[in-house]
Amino acid sequence: MRAVVVVPTYNEVDNVDALISGLAEIDEAVRLDESDRPSVDVVVVDDSSPDGTADRVVKLAEGYRPGMINVLVRPRPEGLAPAYRAGFAWALERDYQAVVQMDADGSHPTAVVPALLSALVGGADLALGARYIPGGSTDPDWAWHRKALSVAGNTYARLVLGLPYRDLTGGFKAWRADLLAAISPVGGNLSGYAFQIHTTYAAHRRGARIVEVPFRFKERVHGASKMHGRIVSEGLSAVVAMRFRPPPGRFDRPAR
Ligand SMILES: Nc1nc2c(ncn2[C@@H]2O[C@H](COP(=O)(O)OP(=O)(O)OP(=O)(O)O)[C@@H](O)[C@H]2O)c(=O)[nH]1
Ligand SMILES: [Mg+2]
């Protein structure tokens, strides 16, 4: 399966070595069959991190097959939605069947990416990495108030939007490229939680087949969180806005 992993970064220089080497390990692991050429590419979308994240990734790319590790540099930090939109557009202009999204900070284990892609091979249009289903979990080191916020935010979004999924706020997902193209461009100017909820809701409204794949969420070890209060308050109001102005329905699933 030809897949690309889109990773937004802002000041993640201490995390990208482990990220890229982890993703390179699964490059071989997601062949559809013996004849399928192995292909998991990566595109890092960096908002000109002052810590030199982009330069580090360019340097790391030299150690891998040509075209495997790519870097998109944007001029300034603008939040998650514009970074993802740019990364998704980059991916959709190319010949990928699947687009994975994940954080750079080690919270989303690279070893779980094959399970997300397998869910797509098994017929899903969107696979959500899920912490709050059997087999999934969160790091005991995660601050209790962050976990409480995450659980409450998920419950709130699930009830307001009437969705059956247990992890709506996470950013670890694999998309069939045709579904992603159908909902793109997506996310307006949303940041963090609201962006993640919005894209899954847009897919659900389109009638996409969505499955959840359990994973163990790890707290970031290096670097600083970009979470802040505005992301939470924006999430609360954005969910209500989505409820009253839902994204369009219907997705004409192409024959596969
Ligand atoms: N390009 C870009 N990436 C961003 C921006 N804000 C956050 N990111 C990246 O998006 C991912 C998620 O951000 P985090 O700060 O880890 O947010 P979080 O996971 O909700 O917060 P923590 O649990 O505290 O880590 C990371 O890879 C960040 O580097 C941004 O404005 N631009
Ligand atoms: Mg994080």
Side-chain angles (χ1 to χ4, degrees):
M1 171 171 264
R2 294 182 307 280
V4 62
V5 183
V6 180
V7 189
T9 56
Y10 192 70
N11 286 344
E12 302 286 4
V13 73
D14 293 329
N15 290 315
V16 287
D17 286 53
L19 173 82
I20 301 296
S21 64
L23 289 172
E25 270 173 40
I26 61 163
D27 188 32
E28 289 287 334
V30 285
R31 295 180 189 221
L32 290 176
D33 55 49
E34 282 305 304
S35 64
D36 192 24
R37 80 183 158 87
S39 174
V40 176
D41 292 346
V42 181
V43 59
V44 169
V45 187
D46 187 71
D47 284 1
S48 295
S49 300
D51 72 353
T53 301
D55 291 345
R56 181 66 197 155
V57 178
V58 168
K59 181 88 197 126
L60 291 169
E62 292 167 8
Y64 298 96
R65 61 177 165 74
M68 178 176 171
I69 312 292
N70 305 275
V71 188
L72 266 185
V73 178
R74 293 161 40 79
R76 68 191 75 83
E78 286 183 318
L80 218 57
Y84 264 125
R85 255 201 311 279
F88 289 162
W90 186 97
L92 293 173
E93 281 161 14
R94 289 161 178 81
D95 186 27
Y96 294 111
Q97 296 161 298
V99 181
V100 178
Q101 56 167 105
M102 66 190 290
D103 292 356
D105 58 3
S107 291
H108 299 153
T110 54
V112 177
V113 171
L116 292 175
L117 293 172
S118 294
L120 302 188
V121 174
D125 299 306
L126 169 61
L128 304 175
R131 297 161 288 184
Y132 307 117
I133 60 171
S137 59
T138 52
D139 196 325
D141 289 344
W142 209 25
W144 71 268
H145 63 277
R146 286 295 310 271
K147 175 158 188 197
L149 189 64
S150 174
V151 170
N154 265 295
T155 308
Y156 170 79
R158 191 171 73 247
L159 296 179
V160 171
L161 300 175
L163 294 172
Y165 318 110
R166 309 303 296 192
D167 203 333
L168 286 164
T169 57
F172 191 22
K173 314 182 190 181
W175 298 83
R176 293 288 313 206
D178 42 29
L179 170 64
L180 189 60
I183 66 158
S184 290
V186 77
N189 226 4
L190 300 172
S191 44
Y193 292 158
F195 175 76
Q196 305 303 353
I197 297 166
H198 188 267
T199 56
T200 296
Y201 187 39
H204 177 86
R205 291 269 311 156
R206 293 258 172 181
R209 280 181 291 231
I210 303 178
V211 300
E212 293 191 280
V213 173
F215 81 100
R216 180 175 175 74
F217 174 91
K218 279 185 63 207
E219 169 64 316
R220 66 158 66 238
V221 180
H222 304 289
S225 170
K226 280 105 221 164
M227 241 328 265
H228 47 76
R230 191 174 49 76
I231 294 180
V232 178
S233 56
E234 180 204 85
L236 294 174
S237 52
V239 167
V240 172
M242 276 176 237
R243 171 72 183 77
F244 289 102
R245 289 195 57 190
R250 212 172 125 264
F251 158 52
D252 295 321
R253 186 177 291 107
R256 284 174 192 145

